[in-house]
Amino acid sequence: MSEHNEYNSIYENSDYPSRRQPTGREGQPASHRQSGSGRRPRKKKRGITVGRVIGIFFKVLGTLILIGLCTGALLACFATVYINEVIVPKAKLYLDDFPLGENSIMYYQDKNTGQYVEMTTLFSTKSSIWVDYEDMPEDLINATVSIEDKRFWTHPGVDWRGTAKAVFRMFTGGQISGGSTITQQLIKNMTQEDETTVKRKITEIIRALWFTQNNTKEDTLERYLNIIPLGGKYEGVGAAALGYFGKPVSELTLAECASLISITNNPSKYGPYSFARSKGVNTEEIWDARQWNKYRQEVVLSEMLKNGYITQEEHDEAVAQELNFVRAEGQEAPTQIYTWYEETVYSDVRDALQEQYGWAGQRLDEIMSKGGLRIYTCYDPAAQSIAEEIYTNRENLNYTSKDGQQLQSAICVIDNQTGNVAAIVGRFGEKTVNLGSNYANSGHRQPGSSFKPLAVYSPALEMGKITPYSVFDDYPYQVLNGKAWPLNGGYASYYGHVTVRHALKESLNTVAVRIMAEITPEESFKFIRDKYHIELEPGRMVNGEMKTDITLSLSMGGLTDGVNVREMAEAYSTFPNGGFYQGSRTFTKVTQLVNGEEVTLIDNTLTPDPVIKATTAWYMNDMLQGVFDSGGTAAGRAKGLRRVHVAGKTGTTNNDYDRWFVGYTPYYTAAVWTGYEQGTPITGAPFNVALDLWEKVMIPLHENLPDKDYADPGGRRSITYCMDSGMLATPYCAMDPRGSRAASGSIFPEDYPTDVSCTYHTAESVIKVCVDSPIFKEDGSESGAYHKAGPYCPEESLKEICYPDYEREQIGSAAAKDAGWRFGAAADLAECDVHTEEPVQEPDPNDPENPVGPLDPSNPGGVTDPNAPYYPFDPIKPIDPVNPGGALKPPVDPGVTNPVDPEPPDNPDALPPSQDMAG
């Protein structure tokens, strides 16, 4: 190793720099030179001491602490802003004071007097009896605090020790739960927000602190014990005490208080009337709900003993007491049942209050029943009566599935002018429960083809992609899973080229899919959502499979979740309203009675929104009226409504689980769904069973109403179009073998095709045929086509035919009905099978230039003697005037120069006997 490298090696293991040290003579570092000596001194290594390590540690620790403090301060700033801007306003929103006590009432307007009449008084859907704090037993208060919140009387609404434990569990992978105080549980019951998220927990804490600052502990307990769910229909200790023990809460014993408060932990498990059963504690025995209630009661009593609320003697006495669960007299009396209209109003008002004021859960239920609300409804007694009369008579829908289900149905009728719900029924049959299954408002079912006007035709018209006279191929769009797709109504039957009007009238799936492909499923999805306010599924995982409504199946109503009856009626009402969407309403306003004065809470005025053009609406009205014409899916129906221009669309799902009819007049729009509760094919019922019910309601609803038509924007122009190409017709379109393919209609100027003439029927696709040679079908009937003309066909039998010339991609083995009329197929036609030889020219006997002269007037029929020998007729031989019968001479000798004898024969007897000629 060189001397220089040796020094570098030393420096690399020391605290000194190791590169490019300044050197003096002899190559030694300048820092090592000694005066008068060239000797290099020994280097002393510097070691790492404990003190040095401690110093480094504290430096690093200080740096980390500083970073942590800065980061914490920054996060705290963000958290403060977030809590103040997001959490606090929401917390205040739910805890605004709202006076309770006055009953809430619904009203409707009498059409005859214009005055509002009381309709019904609202009631709580749960059994609930308010109990003041002073009337609650001390044992009940102490039992509640012992088992639910031991430090309730001392904390500010939040138990910070419990909260810290919950936060620790969160950061160690546990659930964000626990640590909830009575105040926090009260907030949760009032808002019905129970998702396990950090945001919800922070919001709950802010609300609990806020609530405690503005309410006493006694107020908190009073409200909590009056709204907690206690199994079955009981909410609050007042109703539960009567329901379980048959006595007022003030008369409950210690044992009964502990039993009652035990239920709140898990009402389905500890509620004495629950049917739940599960394995008991420290035993293999299966316990019922009453055994579980007893177990939980003893846990509560033990906590009361531990917290000093009761003595050992009181504890033992309560444990030994037998619990007798009996209902109070009258508890099983029938509950008041809302009508379908009242229930819909109730739900609509509840949703509106929650959206506008943020109220939810038990708090909202209290406001609905005891908030002194005055609800002004859109109830029409006559219309609702018609619907309920039809829907409560099982004879109107008396069909049963193979598994014993009765066919179900729902209807919603909307007044087009006001947007008011005129009538609504959520299920067929007598209404026996409140807020139960309701297909009109909440139940979602597949709409089938009734969705086509919303998903396909109106968007395509609005986008300028089609007119009613555009032509699409009624033919499969693609091969799917090895088969041609889609089918039409479950059948592989296709017309071929049809107009949009025809496709909608007959509900052709193929055309709907082809139009959807042009506008794209993405655009259709947005159109339905934004224009008709129907929520669809953009995409979610279901059993490991992605489900979305953004597919071509959207064109045929193939949805992930389906739609309900009311939103279908709302969407369709856009058409008779000239393109304005306004939704629907069951009430006009909600007020609150405060000190005898009504204060408006909600103004439910509808604002019509022009979502589609008036021209699009007119096209839809015009085409949907065609559904009732010959060939339409509702052909011949609703005759009693033709005077008011009835329009609509049928709908059937491909498994026949659901059948729909959504139809309208200028006055009303109504949607009807029919199907079984549990999906099963509809068998035995008429195809248009939904239309049957629609007619039964709508026809009497229109009695005595004058004739009326839809609004017409005007300005349309006549158009003559080709039914095969959809283009402007030419003279060749009238030469189609099926008859003229030129048809007329009217469209708005912006849709008029100015320079596109038919390219299917042209001079190049003209073929001459012989009308004497028809082509026959297999059954022996004429097909309407003819063989091509041959060289011997007479002129009068010739006809020029123009076959449409186009290309069609073959999809699987599918065949369209118009395939045989294509030019390509016609070019292969055989020639005439009648005129196969050159015709013999027969003379015209009445022609003065005819050399044979006129016929013998004494034998005008030209009948010959059947016994006479036959001689071929010589067209240039004149009839012998001596032989007016026209008997022929034997053949002339070919050697004779002039076979014509200009003179009568000398010996007439030499001629053959006279014979009658067939003329």
Side-chain angles (χ1 to χ4, degrees):
M1 178 184 293
S2 67
E3 188 177 14
H4 179 70
N5 289 338
E6 181 181 357
Y7 289 144
N8 284 341
S9 177
I10 293 173
Y11 293 140
E12 285 173 2
N13 295 286
S14 70
D15 292 331
Y16 291 98
S18 60
R19 295 183 180 181
R20 299 189 182 278
Q21 296 292 325
T23 59
R25 288 175 314 187
E26 302 175 358
Q28 295 180 353
S31 58
H32 288 183
R33 292 198 306 269
Q34 297 180 359
S35 58
S37 174
R39 189 177 172 187
R40 183 180 56 172
R42 274 181 82 178
K43 171 145 177 80
K44 182 178 181 181
K45 291 186 178 181
R46 181 181 296 180
I48 299 177
T49 65
V50 174
R52 182 174 178 79
V53 170
I54 294 174
I56 294 173
F57 171 77
F58 279 109
K59 285 181 180 180
V60 173
L61 180 62
T63 301
L64 292 176
I65 291 174
L66 183 60
I67 292 173
L69 289 173
C70 292
T71 303
L74 187 62
L75 292 175
C77 289
F78 280 118
T80 301
V81 172
Y82 178 77
I83 290 172
N84 285 328
E85 296 294 328
V86 178
I87 304 296
V88 171
K90 187 176 181 182
K92 289 180 180 179
L93 186 65
Y94 280 97
L95 300 178
D96 285 341
D97 190 28
F98 193 99
L100 301 175
E102 287 282 345
N103 289 333
S104 297
I105 301 173
M106 290 183 189
Y107 298 92
Y108 74 93
Q109 190 173 32
D110 188 315
K111 290 185 177 181
N112 296 323
T113 65
Q115 300 297 313
Y116 276 95
V117 180
E118 184 173 328
M119 183 175 171
T120 189
T121 299
L122 299 190
F123 55 89
S124 175
T125 57
K126 294 287 187 177
S127 179
S128 167
I129 299 174
W130 193 271
V131 180
D132 293 334
Y133 182 83
E134 292 77 13
D135 296 326
M136 294 180 182
E138 186 177 356
D139 287 335
L140 180 63
I141 300 296
N142 294 335
T144 303
V145 172
S146 294
I147 197 66
E148 296 294 333
D149 187 1
K150 297 179 179 61
R151 290 180 286 275
F152 170 76
W153 296 107
T154 58
H155 64 61
V158 178
D159 185 348
W160 294 114
R161 274 191 273 177
T163 301
K165 291 179 182 179
V167 171
F168 177 78
R169 282 194 295 271
M170 178 187 72
F171 283 107
T172 55
Q175 292 186 340
I176 310 173
S177 60
S180 292
T181 63
I182 287 175
T183 313
Q184 288 172 278
Q185 292 179 51
L186 171 61
I187 300 299
K188 188 187 298 184
N189 285 329
M190 289 170 62
T191 62
Q192 295 294 298
E193 293 181 5
D194 58 358
E195 66 272 16
T196 53
T197 62
V198 174
K199 177 182 177 181
R200 200 275 302 170
K201 200 68 178 177
I202 294 174
T203 303
E204 182 184 280
I205 289 172
I206 298 295
R207 289 171 176 165
L209 294 172
W210 194 290
F211 191 87
T212 303
Q213 291 175 5
N214 293 276
N215 296 273
T216 66
K217 291 288 185 177
E218 290 77 10
D219 290 339
T220 301
L221 270 174
E222 178 182 311
R223 185 175 289 273
Y224 173 76
L225 290 172
N226 273 293
I227 71 170
I228 53 174
L230 291 170
K233 63 180 180 179
Y234 304 120
E235 283 191 347
V237 294
L242 286 173
Y244 292 126
F245 301 110
K247 62 177 76 172
V249 69
S250 59
E251 298 178 9
L252 295 180
T253 65
L254 170 60
E256 291 166 342
C257 287
S259 171
L260 197 64
I261 205 62
S262 298
I263 301 172
T264 189
N265 180 262
N266 188 341
S268 63
K269 182 176 184 179
Y270 300 120
Y273 299 150
S274 172
F275 293 103
R277 296 167 62 87
S278 59
K279 190 173 73 172
V281 179
N282 300 324
T283 180
E284 294 299 317
E285 181 185 355
I286 301 299
W287 287 358
D288 62 20
R290 296 193 181 192
Q291 289 172 293
W292 276 111
N293 180 269
K294 179 61 179 174
Y295 166 78
R296 181 70 177 173
Q297 177 225 33
E298 293 181 7
V299 172
V300 173
L301 291 170
S302 295
E303 289 298 315
M304 294 179 71
L305 176 64
K306 186 188 301 184
N307 290 302
Y309 288 116
I310 57 175
T311 65
Q312 185 66 52
E313 182 181 357
E314 290 172 323
H315 170 273
D316 296 343
E317 184 179 336
V319 168
Q321 180 183 329
E322 182 180 356
L323 296 173
N324 295 313
F325 298 107
V326 291
R327 288 184 170 96
E329 184 178 356
Q331 282 294 297
E332 293 304 300
T335 305
Q336 179 182 346
I337 302 297
Y338 288 130
T339 67
W340 286 112
Y341 202 97
E342 292 167 350
E343 180 172 295
T344 303
V345 174
Y346 181 93
S347 298
D348 288 355
V349 171
R350 198 176 190 281
D351 291 344
L353 289 171
Q354 182 170 6
E355 180 179 354
Q356 187 159 333
Y357 295 98
W359 298 321
Q362 179 64 30
R363 176 65 167 168
L364 183 51
D365 288 339
E366 292 175 353
I367 292 172
M368 287 294 297
S369 58
K370 300 293 183 182
L373 303 182
R374 298 296 181 261
I375 301 169
Y376 295 89
T377 75
C378 305
Y379 177 59
D380 182 338
Q384 185 67 23
S385 176
I386 292 171
E388 292 194 357
E389 181 179 354
I390 298 300
Y391 269 73
T392 53
N393 183 355
R394 179 47 76 175
E395 292 302 313
N396 291 319
L397 196 69
N398 197 17
Y399 305 101
T400 305
S401 67
K402 292 180 180 179
D403 58 1
Q405 299 183 70
Q406 286 191 307
L407 195 58
Q408 270 300 330
S409 180
I411 186 172
C412 178
V413 184
I414 296 175
D415 184 316
N416 294 330
Q417 183 176 358
T418 62
N420 296 342
V421 173
I424 191 164
V425 179
R427 288 175 62 87
F428 205 93
E430 183 182 355
K431 191 173 187 294
T432 58
V433 297
N434 289 315
L435 303 177
S437 178
N438 185 329
Y439 290 107
N441 286 312
S442 55
H444 285 71
R445 301 300 287 248
Q446 297 297 319
S449 294
S450 64
F451 214 55
K452 290 175 182 175
L454 308 178
V456 177
Y457 292 101
S458 61
L461 287 166
E462 187 73 6
M463 297 173 190
K465 299 288 187 181
I466 63 171
T467 73
Y469 309 110
S470 300
V471 171
F472 285 82
D473 204 1
D474 173 28
Y475 190 71
Y477 179 73
Q478 63 185 13
V479 173
L480 187 64
N481 298 325
K483 297 180 180 180
W485 180 89
L487 300 176
N488 281 326
Y491 301 99
S493 177
Y494 312 102
Y495 288 108
H497 292 88
V498 296
T499 62
V500 164
R501 173 188 292 278
H502 179 98
L504 179 56
K505 181 176 76 170
E506 295 205 21
S507 196
L508 301 178
N509 293 334
T510 51
V511 175
V513 169
R514 289 179 179 276
I515 297 175
M516 173 67 77
E518 288 204 10
I519 64 177
T520 75
E522 291 78 10
E523 289 302 314
S524 175
F525 180 94
K526 290 190 290 186
F527 196 94
I528 297 165
R529 181 193 61 195
D530 298 342
K531 306 295 186 181
Y532 301 128
H533 303 273
I534 295 176
E535 289 301 319
L536 301 176
E537 179 53 59
R540 72 171 186 266
M541 295 299 296
V542 178
N543 298 325
E545 181 182 358
M546 176 58 70
K547 297 288 187 180
T548 178
D549 291 335
I550 308 176
T551 68
L552 287 174
S553 294
L554 179 62
S555 63
M556 299 176 288
L559 307 180
T560 303
D561 300 315
V563 293
N564 66 50
V565 172
R566 185 174 175 183
E567 59 190 359
M568 286 293 283
E570 290 174 340
Y572 265 72
S573 68
T574 304
F575 304 142
N577 281 329
F580 285 84
Y581 176 90
Q582 60 183 350
S584 67
R585 64 180 181 178
T586 56
F587 67 95
T588 58
K589 66 177 179 178
V590 177
T591 66
Q592 185 194 19
L593 193 62
V594 179
N595 297 325
E597 298 290 333
E598 290 191 40
V599 178
T600 300
L601 297 179
I602 297 175
D603 181 352
N604 198 28
T605 301
L606 297 179
T607 303
D609 182 15
V611 295
I612 60 175
K613 294 178 291 190
T615 54
T616 298
W618 189 91
Y619 281 142
M620 292 304 301
N621 294 333
D622 187 49
M623 290 194 296
L624 288 173
Q625 289 179 69
V627 172
F628 292 92
D629 294 338
S630 176
T633 54
R637 302 297 296 271
K639 293 180 179 178
L641 297 175
R642 294 300 181 94
R643 62 185 177 81
V644 286
H645 303 276
V646 62
K649 183 70 185 73
T650 56
T652 305
T653 55
N654 57 4
N655 51 19
D656 205 18
Y657 284 4
D658 308 275
R659 296 182 190 174
W660 290 74
F661 187 78
V662 189
Y664 56 87
T665 69
Y667 293 102
Y668 295 101
T669 298
V672 174
W673 164 84
T674 55
Y676 290 108
E677 187 102 27
Q678 305 298 323
T680 190
I682 300 174
T683 57
F687 174 74
N688 277 329
V689 63
L691 178 54
D692 291 344
L693 294 171
W694 187 91
E695 285 180 314
K696 291 179 186 295
V697 173
M698 288 287 275
I699 289 177
L701 197 57
H702 285 78
E703 285 183 1
N704 303 320
L705 291 178
D707 296 354
K708 190 176 182 181
D709 201 352
Y710 306 103
D712 187 348
R716 288 182 303 282
R717 294 179 56 185
S718 296
I719 180 175
T720 302
Y721 63 95
C722 175
M723 291 187 287
D724 290 313
S725 67
M727 305 174 190
L728 291 176
T730 69
Y732 293 107
C733 299
M735 297 165 60
D736 192 281
R738 295 160 290 180
S740 177
R741 303 296 288 170
S744 61
S746 64
I747 60 176
F748 292 98
E750 60 267 29
D751 300 320
Y752 196 89
T754 56
D755 56 355
V756 182
S757 295
C758 179
T759 58
Y760 282 22
H761 299 95
T762 63
E764 288 74 20
S765 59
V766 173
I767 296 176
K768 281 189 177 182
V769 298
C770 179
V771 296
D772 295 335
S773 179
I775 297 175
F776 295 95
K777 299 179 182 178
E778 292 182 0
D779 61 4
S781 61
E782 293 189 6
S783 66
Y786 302 94
H787 290 104
K788 286 194 294 186
Y792 305 119
C793 295
E795 190 68 27
E796 63 269 17
S797 298
L798 299 182
K799 183 178 182 181
E800 286 190 329
I801 298 294
C802 185
Y803 282 83
D805 191 9
Y806 58 87
E807 296 297 327
R808 173 182 286 139
E809 179 186 356
Q810 182 66 38
I811 301 295
S813 60
K817 294 178 180 178
D818 68 353
W821 301 105
R822 287 179 56 242
F823 175 74
D828 298 329
L829 289 175
E831 287 189 353
C832 173
D833 59 0
V834 175
H835 307 102
T836 58
E837 297 179 358
E838 184 174 1
V840 176
Q841 182 67 37
E842 297 190 13
D844 184 357
N846 296 311
D847 187 351
E849 298 181 2
N850 189 340
V852 301
L855 292 176
D856 186 348
S858 64
N859 184 18
V863 179
T864 60
D865 184 353
N867 297 317
Y870 171 74
Y871 298 96
F873 176 70
D874 187 348
I876 62 172
K877 180 71 174 180
I879 294 177
D880 189 341
V882 182
N883 182 21
L888 300 180
K889 291 183 178 181
V892 178
D893 187 337
V896 179
T897 305
N898 184 5
V900 179
D901 187 356
E903 298 294 334
D906 295 334
N907 185 9
D909 295 335
L911 292 175
S914 174
Q915 62 178 338
D916 295 330
M917 296 292 294

